[in-house]
Amino acid sequence: MFHAPNGFSRAPLPQARESEPVPTTQESAAPAVAAAAEKAPAKSTSRDAYFDNAKYLAIVLVAIAHAWEPVMDGSRASRALYLLVYTFHMPAFILISGYFSRSYTGRPDQLRRLLTGIAVPYVVFEVVYSLFRRWAQHAPEQPISLLDPFYLTWFLAALFIWRLTAPLWRLIRWPVPVALALASLAALTPNIGADLNLQRVLQFLPFFVLGLSLKPEHFQLVRRREVRLLALPLFAGAGAFAYWASPRMNFSWLYRSSSAQELGEPWWVGVVMTLAFFGCAALLTAGFLAWVPGRRTWFTVLGAGTICGYLGHGLLIKAADYGHVFETYAWLSDPSGEIVLTLVAAAAVTLLCTPPARRALRFVTEPEMTWAFRRDAAELGPRR
């Protein structure tokens, strides 16, 4: 069975609540007094259908790609599709997360949201994934380490770090080039270590910073009819290139979890690949966003529950892996089997994003935890 470094090994190997791949909901309005204190283009209680649609479609692609990982090794076409989707699905999710982090300034209500919406789910699911492996694989040696993200939890750890640094990036004159420089340096630095999967945090950083730098008019631009038409030959050409490259390329570059030296390449290849993948991912993300519907659809409501879909589908993938489903049913590697896996993955992540599933998991993905925080005097407003 093919084990992609991302999906079937620990964090070194591949959806924020307010902006999440994965998982996120747009930043909720602050308490009434805090919102009154910051009267600028403040947060609206209404959600934007376009971004909810984009988040749902991106999380579906994430789940489908994870379902393909264990069965794609024998098919060049499957590997090409995987390469194409993996080039942009997480960058798109991270870019949207960055876009909705533009208002983050470190206010008390935002810090609380950061803890309850990102840190708490990270801790809980890091423990859940670890305990699940201990039980399902009879692996008592499986550690529970909050510094070593397990499987999908790397994104929550990364998002926590990225959002904390958001105010800093808004101070820099050329934030995206600086972020690309940091990502390139990470790609040629083999001794960063595995703590919080910092290699991946730095290599994916440019997409978050790009999202921070975007304005609403940029999204209006990619949604123009001519851009949608240009996206068709873009994806056709990218698909043809992916078919050519799939047997020749080391897919570990996709996961941004290793340096060039660790992949057996000269240091300068890390810089080239960082810039090349950033350019390709940015173009494909623009093409993807161009075709996201802007109107309300049947799946718009699912965009608010992508964190549930992101974290929940990983348990299903792991259950199939630990249960040797992909080895037992060899027909899943056939074209018909891959189609079945695609449909099952899409249906499963869709169900996990539904309002009932979101309500059921809210105690861990969106906990209030008012008991854990002090009432900041600045948020209480002037006394009457």
Side-chain angles (χ1 to χ4, degrees):
M1 183 176 81
F2 176 77
H3 290 275
N6 167 51
F8 289 83
S9 61
R10 287 181 65 79
L13 38 208
Q15 356 254 41
R17 181 154 265 140
E18 307 158 5
S19 50
E20 292 140 316
V22 142
T24 71
T25 61
Q26 296 174 2
E27 189 172 1
S28 61
V33 288
E38 187 170 334
K39 295 185 179 179
K43 311 167 183 112
S44 171
T45 55
S46 62
R47 301 183 61 91
D48 189 317
Y50 173 74
F51 289 106
D52 277 339
N53 292 339
K55 288 190 294 180
Y56 166 73
L57 294 174
I59 205 62
V60 168
L61 290 177
V62 170
I64 289 174
H66 285 156
W68 288 342
E69 284 178 3
V71 298
M72 67 180 183
D73 197 32
S75 170
R76 182 173 180 177
S78 298
R79 287 175 62 85
L81 281 174
Y82 179 87
L83 174 58
L84 176 64
V85 170
Y86 234 102
T87 299
F88 75 91
H89 71 354
M90 281 309 296
F93 217 98
I94 294 168
L95 182 144
I96 295 173
S97 297
Y99 179 73
F100 282 110
S101 298
R102 294 173 305 149
S103 62
Y104 182 84
T105 59
R107 294 194 319 264
D109 63 290
Q110 292 176 326
L111 289 171
R112 284 200 303 268
R113 182 71 168 179
L114 192 66
L115 291 173
T116 60
I118 299 178
V120 170
Y122 170 73
V123 172
V124 170
F125 277 90
E126 178 69 17
V127 173
V128 167
Y129 273 109
S130 299
L131 292 179
F132 184 46
R133 181 173 183 269
R134 285 188 183 185
W135 172 76
Q137 285 202 316
H138 307 288
E141 74 282 359
Q142 171 65 48
I144 299 176
S145 172
L146 299 183
L147 293 179
D148 187 10
F150 192 106
Y151 195 35
L152 303 180
T153 59
W154 74 268
F155 177 73
L156 295 181
L159 187 59
F160 187 88
I161 296 172
W162 293 332
R163 189 162 290 164
L164 280 178
T165 65
L168 175 63
W169 293 108
R170 287 195 296 271
L171 293 176
I172 297 177
R173 180 169 295 180
W174 301 290
V176 175
V178 171
L180 277 171
L182 288 176
S184 299
L185 288 173
L188 56 87
T189 307
N191 298 319
I192 288 180
D195 288 352
L196 294 178
N197 210 345
L198 190 57
Q199 182 71 255
R200 181 174 281 159
V201 171
L202 292 174
Q203 290 199 39
F204 274 115
L205 174 65
F207 300 104
F208 182 82
V209 176
L210 177 60
L212 278 175
S213 305
L214 294 178
K215 296 179 173 59
E217 50 265 33
H218 294 123
F219 290 93
Q220 292 296 331
L221 179 64
V222 301
R223 294 165 65 184
R224 294 170 60 181
R225 183 174 182 273
E226 49 267 37
V227 178
R228 288 200 299 271
L229 294 177
L230 287 173
L232 297 177
L234 170 67
F235 273 96
F241 180 80
Y243 188 81
W244 172 85
S246 59
R248 299 172 171 83
M249 180 182 165
N250 183 348
F251 278 23
S252 294
W253 288 110
L254 293 171
Y255 312 130
R256 274 86 162 184
S257 58
S258 305
S259 66
Q261 295 93 323
E262 290 169 322
L263 296 179
E265 301 290 347
W267 66 267
W268 58 267
V269 176
V271 178
V272 173
M273 294 298 284
T274 297
L275 298 177
F277 268 112
F278 178 80
C280 292
L283 285 174
L284 292 174
T285 296
F288 165 74
L289 292 174
W291 279 96
V292 171
R295 65 187 184 282
R296 290 195 62 83
T297 67
W298 65 268
F299 55 80
T300 300
V301 67
L302 304 179
T306 49
I307 186 173
C308 302
Y310 179 79
L311 294 171
H313 89 272
L315 290 173
L316 299 178
I317 296 293
K318 282 299 183 183
D321 181 39
Y322 298 155
H324 306 288
V325 170
F326 304 108
E327 295 96 330
T328 302
Y329 302 97
W331 63 271
L332 290 174
S333 297
D334 299 335
S336 59
E338 292 174 346
I339 292 174
V340 169
L341 283 176
T342 300
L343 296 175
V344 169
V349 76
T350 297
L351 290 174
L352 288 167
C353 291
T354 57
R358 184 186 177 196
R359 287 193 294 270
L361 293 174
R362 181 168 289 161
F363 74 100
V364 64
T365 59
E366 304 175 73
E368 292 292 336
M369 295 183 61
T370 54
W371 54 267
F373 301 103
R374 297 179 180 178
R375 299 184 67 193
D376 193 290
E379 294 182 353
L380 295 177
R383 294 184 179 179
R384 295 183 179 178

